[in-house]
């Protein structure tokens, strides 16, 4: 049982970026939004142009606000890039070794407002938790969104060709096209109070279909996360981000293989066995259900490729039901 009395009907969703955001959109159609709290990865956070950027927090917020760019899955729709284009002038005079005016990480003009606001509020001493709540209220997002931590924590990706790089260097600048030899999480961050509370007392915890290594991994790497989830494992369910041995978006399948895991629902089950009692898999992986159950998790088979809002809603409904009967 959890350390505190469970919140009767709260659903906490351990979230990364795009896959989690799509899942949360479905969950909002399945349960009352006020019951939902998203605990979001901040290991992708980076400072560029002096601005604190929280990609997964923004992807979740923008998606649930209906403002996300649907093709990219990040940033805002109907965006312009004037500020970024204007930086080109300064690249011509930038001294060698200067990191000023980077243009490999595309920040849209409207998106910049979010980074201006977050950076200024943090500089005033506000916590990332407080600022994230202000931003989601500014976008009229009906669920609570909490960062996994209010402390700086950085995902470091060790690559064969480029050594240790930040997550955004790996994912964007290198287009995740280099083999990964290790992933670690730097800093002595702890769970933010709101995140700890959600993981401990929500009636149900869902691990969203996000990258198990670099989206869910940073949250699990925080002290207490795995202990809190293991203590209430029967009401924790995970949704596989791997379908038919492949990631639906991003490098999750390659990273799993490169780091010695099986890029399949069985590999995902093995990773989540200590903290989740059930794994939701797509029918294309039904033939692996027995192997998932051999890892100690119930296997729930339901369409997991969220091509439409109704699939996302049904997937969310199935996940919550699986965790509720735990
Ligand atoms: N992803 C890219 O592939 N290219 C980009 O230029 C890029 C810019 C960017 C700006 C703001 C933001 O919130 C996200 C952005 N992303 C970009 C996506 C980001 O790297 C990923 O969303 C996460 O870090 C992984 O989920």
């Amino acid at each position: 049982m959890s350390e505190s009395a469970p919140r009767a009907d709260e659903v906490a969703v351990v979230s990364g970026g795009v896959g989690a955001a799509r899942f949360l959109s479905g969950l909002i159609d399945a349960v009352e939004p006020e019951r939902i709290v998203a605990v979001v990865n901040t290991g992708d956070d980076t400072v560029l142009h002096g601005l604190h950027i929280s990609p997964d927090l923004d992807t979740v917020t923008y998606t649930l606000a209906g403002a996300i760019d649907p093709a990219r899955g990040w940033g805002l729709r109907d965006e312009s890039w004037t500020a970024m284009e204007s930086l080109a002038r300064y690249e011509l005079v930038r001294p060698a070794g200067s990191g000023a005016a980077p243009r490999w990480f595309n920040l849209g003009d409207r998106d910049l407002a979010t980074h201006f606001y977050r950076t200024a509020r943090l500089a005033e001493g506000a916590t990332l938790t407080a600022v994230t709540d202000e931003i989601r209220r500014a976008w009229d997002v009906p669920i609570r969104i909490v960062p996994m931590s209010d402390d700086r924590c950085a995902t470091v990706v060790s690559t064969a060709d480029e050594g240790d790089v930040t997550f955004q260097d790996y994912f964007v600048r290198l287009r995740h096209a280099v083999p990964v030899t290790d992933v670690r999480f730097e800093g002595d961050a702890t769970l933010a109070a709101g995140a700890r509370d959600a993981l401990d007392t929500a009636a149900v915890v869902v691990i969203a279909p996000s990258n198990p290594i670099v989206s869910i991994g940073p949250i699990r790497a925080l002290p207490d996360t795995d202990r809190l989830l293991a203590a209430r494992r029967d009401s924790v369910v995970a949704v596989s981000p791997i379908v038919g041995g492949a990631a639906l978006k991003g490098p999750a399948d390659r990273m799993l293989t490169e780091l010695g895991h099986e890029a399949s629902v069985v590999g995902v089950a093995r990773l989540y066995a200590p903290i989740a009692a059930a794994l939701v898999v797509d029918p294309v992986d039904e033939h692996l259900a027995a192997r998932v159950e051999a890892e100690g998790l119930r296997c729930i088979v339901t369409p997991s490729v969220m091509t439409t809002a109704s699939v996302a809603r049904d997937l969310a409904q199935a996940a919550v039901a699986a965790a509720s009967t735990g």
Side-chain angles (χ1 to χ4, degrees):
M1 267 317 277
S2 65
E3 294 168 351
S4 331
R7 289 263 175 83
D9 57 2
E10 187 173 85
V11 179
V13 182
V14 180
S15 305
V18 179
R22 289 217 179 105
F23 179 82
L24 286 161
S25 297
L27 185 61
I28 284 179
D29 287 345
V31 306
E32 301 83 357
E34 53 277 3
R35 289 174 53 191
I36 302 168
V37 55
V39 176
V40 181
N41 167 46
T42 57
D44 295 6
D45 287 18
T46 189
V47 176
L48 290 169
H49 315 282
L51 299 173
H52 184 121
I53 299 160
S54 298
D56 284 350
L57 285 170
D58 291 347
T59 292
V60 168
T61 302
Y62 290 166
T63 300
L64 299 184
I68 199 82
D69 179 276
R72 284 185 262 112
W74 54 267
L76 290 168
R77 64 172 66 236
D78 312 328
E79 188 55 283
S80 58
W81 308 92
T82 312
M84 291 303 291
E85 288 157 5
S86 306
L87 285 170
R89 172 189 311 277
Y90 297 111
E91 280 179 336
L92 303 175
V93 298
R94 179 176 62 200
S98 163
R103 292 205 308 136
W104 55 271
F105 194 80
N106 296 298
L107 293 165
D109 297 325
R110 296 174 64 222
D111 187 31
L112 281 171
T114 302
H115 312 309
F116 291 164
Y117 183 74
R118 176 184 293 116
T119 303
R121 288 285 294 123
L122 292 174
E124 290 173 346
T127 62
L128 187 56
T129 293
V131 184
T132 300
D133 193 58
E134 291 160 18
I135 292 170
R136 69 102 185 166
R137 285 188 283 116
W139 286 93
D140 298 321
V141 170
I143 72 164
R144 279 160 297 141
I145 301 173
V146 296
M148 70 182 199
S149 176
D150 284 326
D151 310 320
R152 194 192 73 77
C153 33
T155 300
V156 176
V157 179
S158 301
T159 68
D161 314 350
E162 307 266 338
D164 287 0
V165 295
T166 69
F167 175 81
Q168 297 302 343
D169 275 319
Y170 164 73
F171 190 81
V172 180
R173 187 168 59 77
L174 302 171
R175 300 190 192 292
H176 51 78
V178 292
V180 172
T181 57
D182 187 25
V183 174
R184 66 182 189 281
F185 309 107
E186 280 189 345
D188 50 2
T190 58
L191 276 165
R196 174 185 300 278
D197 193 41
L199 298 182
D200 185 23
T201 64
V204 159
V205 173
V206 182
I207 299 174
S210 297
N211 186 316
I213 306 294
V214 287
S215 297
I216 305 301
I219 304 173
R220 294 186 66 184
L222 295 174
D224 292 339
T225 299
D226 271 20
R227 183 179 61 74
L228 284 170
L229 293 177
R232 43 92 41 84
R233 179 178 180 274
D234 285 348
S235 55
V236 180
V237 61
V239 179
S240 177
I242 301 290
V243 173
L248 296 175
K249 185 176 171 74
D253 46 6
R254 279 208 341 269
M255 294 186 95
L256 283 168
T257 306
E258 288 161 1
L259 295 173
H261 306 290
E262 192 180 315
S264 72
V265 294
V266 181
V268 173
R270 209 166 282 147
L271 278 170
Y272 290 153
I275 57 172
L279 181 67
V280 179
V281 306
D282 187 82
V284 80
D285 289 311
E286 184 153 19
H287 64 290
L288 296 173
R291 287 188 57 205
V292 166
E293 306 223 329
E295 295 298 331
L297 295 85
R298 282 183 291 118
C299 189
I300 317 293
V301 181
T302 192
S304 304
V305 182
M306 296 174 278
T307 44
T308 66
S310 61
V311 173
R313 184 202 58 233
D314 295 348
L315 174 61
Q317 229 145 24
V320 171
S324 312
T325 57

